[in-house]
């Protein structure tokens, strides 16, 4: 049984607890009332902070986490648009039957995955890893030039994600299409490609600032490997396409950029080639000629 003294102590503690829980503080000393108000304020504040259901995702995870996950998905979708323009493949059947063709420098040649790709047909670029990587980097450069208009952290996030997608796909192609099983060898190649990427950005930036001739020279050195047999119309068409694409990307708002960038990058490059030939089709069989030759031909026809 409980003694009378314990009962008295228990009743006293119960009364104290009831008084502390009561909404009024009448009959207590100023010091105790102050302590009670402070304790109730801390309890209310703690209760508000711990109500996660009333908190937004921005306050829970932070805007940087939310934006990072958003950029991962959008940048991957845009990268796929860039990567498919000059994509190729080398099948296991071709490799087993020793049917994989090679360039003079030993680079393996695959089969285009996009039928009638302008980069392979109109510009006569072989479906190789070098062509694919430089065409992809050319498209990535256009995106990189646009995202420079973002805030610093958002720009860094975008560029990092685009570069990560690109180098992941590079290593995947090395391993699957070209059977480069050595991880150390793949990493060495990736370092070389990264150096090319940094140099390509500087070269194209210089061309945008100094003029179309410098930009065409940068395209000729990187995309066409300085081939002296390149048709000059190819360079003119690509430079015109780059300028038009950059102007369209610049005209998009930051909010609409992820939705509109894919359509801009997929615009046909050979349209600019066609425009070069249109003036000459009126004076003959469509073969390019200068203005003097066209005028002389028209005068001869008139005399006849």
């Amino acid at each position: 049984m409980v003694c009378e003294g314990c009962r008295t102590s228990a009743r006293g503690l119960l009364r104290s607890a009831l008084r502390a829980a009561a909404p009024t503080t009448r009959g207590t000393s100023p010091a105790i009332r102050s302590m009670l108000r402070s304790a109730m304020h801390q309890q209310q504040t703690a209760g508000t902070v711990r109500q996660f259901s009333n908190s937004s995702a921005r306050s829970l995870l932070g805007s940087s986490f939310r934006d990072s996950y958003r950029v991962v998905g959008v940048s991957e979708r845009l990268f796929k648009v860039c990567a498919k323009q000059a994509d190729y493949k080398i099948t296991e059947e071709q490799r087993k039957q020793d049917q994989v063709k090679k360039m003079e420098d030993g680079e393996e040649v695959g089969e285009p995955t996009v039928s009638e790709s302008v980069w392979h047909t109109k510009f006569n670029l072989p479906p190789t890893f070098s062509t694919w990587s430089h065409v992809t980097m050319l498209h990535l450069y256009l995106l990189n030039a646009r995202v420079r208009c973002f805030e610093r952290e958002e720009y860094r996030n975008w560029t990092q994600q685009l570069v990560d997608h690109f180098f992941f796909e590079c290593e995947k192609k090395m391993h699957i299409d070209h059977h480069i099983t050595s991880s150390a060898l793949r990493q060495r190649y990736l370092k070389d490609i990264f150096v090319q990427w940094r140099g390509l950005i500087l070269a194209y930036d210089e061309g945008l600032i100094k003029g179309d001739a410098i930009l065409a020279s940068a395209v000729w050195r990187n995309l066409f490997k300085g081939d002296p047999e390149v048709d000059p119309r190819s360079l003119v068409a690509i430079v015109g396409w780059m300028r038009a694409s950059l102007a369209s990307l610049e005209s998009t708002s930051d909010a609409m950029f992820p939705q509109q960038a894919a359509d801009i990058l997929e615009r046909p490059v050979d349209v600019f080639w066609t425009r070069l030939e249109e003036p000459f089709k009126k004076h003959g069989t469509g073969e390019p000629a200068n203005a003097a030759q066209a005028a002389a031909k028209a005068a001869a026809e008139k005399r006849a």
Side-chain angles (χ1 to χ4, degrees), residues 62-244:
S63 60
S64 60
F65 287 95
R66 181 197 62 183
D67 294 340
S68 296
Y69 283 110
R70 177 181 62 85
V71 172
V72 168
V74 177
S75 61
E76 183 179 9
R77 178 169 58 86
L78 291 179
F79 168 75
K80 290 181 179 179
V81 175
C82 301
K84 76 176 185 179
Q85 304 301 322
D87 200 7
Y88 70 99
K89 63 180 179 180
I90 299 176
T91 63
E92 290 291 335
E93 187 70 19
Q94 290 175 322
R95 193 169 295 279
K96 289 180 180 179
Q97 297 181 4
D98 197 19
Q99 295 178 348
V100 180
K101 300 179 181 180
K102 293 185 178 181
M103 303 287 291
E104 294 181 357
D105 57 359
E107 187 177 13
E108 294 181 335
V109 181
E111 295 181 354
T113 58
V114 179
S115 60
E116 301 299 324
S117 172
V118 64
W119 303 97
H120 298 143
T121 57
K122 184 67 73 172
F123 300 138
N124 297 321
L125 292 169
T128 61
F129 181 87
S130 176
T131 296
W132 171 82
S133 62
H134 276 281
V135 171
T136 303
M137 285 191 289
L138 177 60
H139 287 74
L140 289 177
Y141 169 78
L142 301 178
L143 293 178
N144 183 73
R146 175 60 181 87
V147 299
R148 290 177 190 174
C149 301
F150 294 163
E151 296 294 334
R152 177 178 298 180
E153 291 302 322
E154 189 173 5
Y155 162 70
R156 290 178 177 176
N157 191 12
W158 268 95
T159 53
Q160 185 63 51
Q161 294 299 336
L162 290 172
V163 170
D164 287 347
H165 293 316
F166 173 60
F167 281 94
F168 177 79
E169 189 66 20
C170 284
E171 188 171 12
K172 179 181 175 181
K173 281 189 170 295
M174 291 179 189
H175 184 72
I176 296 178
D177 291 305
H178 298 279
H179 280 203
I180 302 178
T181 58
S182 172
S183 177
L185 186 58
R186 292 199 304 267
Q187 292 300 318
R188 191 178 72 181
Y189 289 154
L190 290 176
K191 289 181 180 179
D192 294 338
I193 296 173
F194 182 75
V195 173
Q196 294 178 11
W197 165 246
R198 302 300 296 178
L200 179 144
I201 292 177
L202 294 176
Y204 289 165
D205 281 347
E206 182 185 19
L208 291 179
I209 295 173
K210 294 185 177 181
D212 291 344
I214 304 299
L215 183 57
S217 176
V219 173
W220 176 65
R221 294 194 311 270
N222 289 277
L223 185 59
F224 294 95
K225 300 181 180 180
D227 185 3
E229 301 298 328
V230 172
D231 192 330
R233 293 175 297 174
S234 300
L235 302 177
V236 175
I238 294 174
V239 168
W241 169 77
M242 291 178 65
R243 293 283 189 184

Side-chain angles (χ1 to χ4, degrees), residues 223-290:
L223 185 59
F224 294 95
K225 300 181 180 180
D227 185 3
E229 301 298 328
V230 172
D231 192 330
R233 293 175 297 174
S234 300
L235 302 177
V236 175
I238 294 174
V239 168
W241 169 77
M242 291 178 65
R243 293 283 189 184
S245 299
L246 287 172
S248 299
L249 290 172
E250 185 180 4
S251 63
T252 62
S253 63
D254 291 351
M256 296 303 298
F257 163 74
Q259 289 75 28
Q260 297 178 353
D263 295 334
I264 294 173
L265 293 178
E266 288 184 325
R267 291 176 181 175
V269 187
D270 54 342
V271 169
F272 295 88
W273 182 296
T274 305
R275 290 176 181 175
L276 291 173
E277 296 180 340
E278 285 178 354
F280 305 105
K281 291 181 180 179
K282 301 177 182 179
H283 301 286
T285 61
E287 293 297 327
N290 56 36

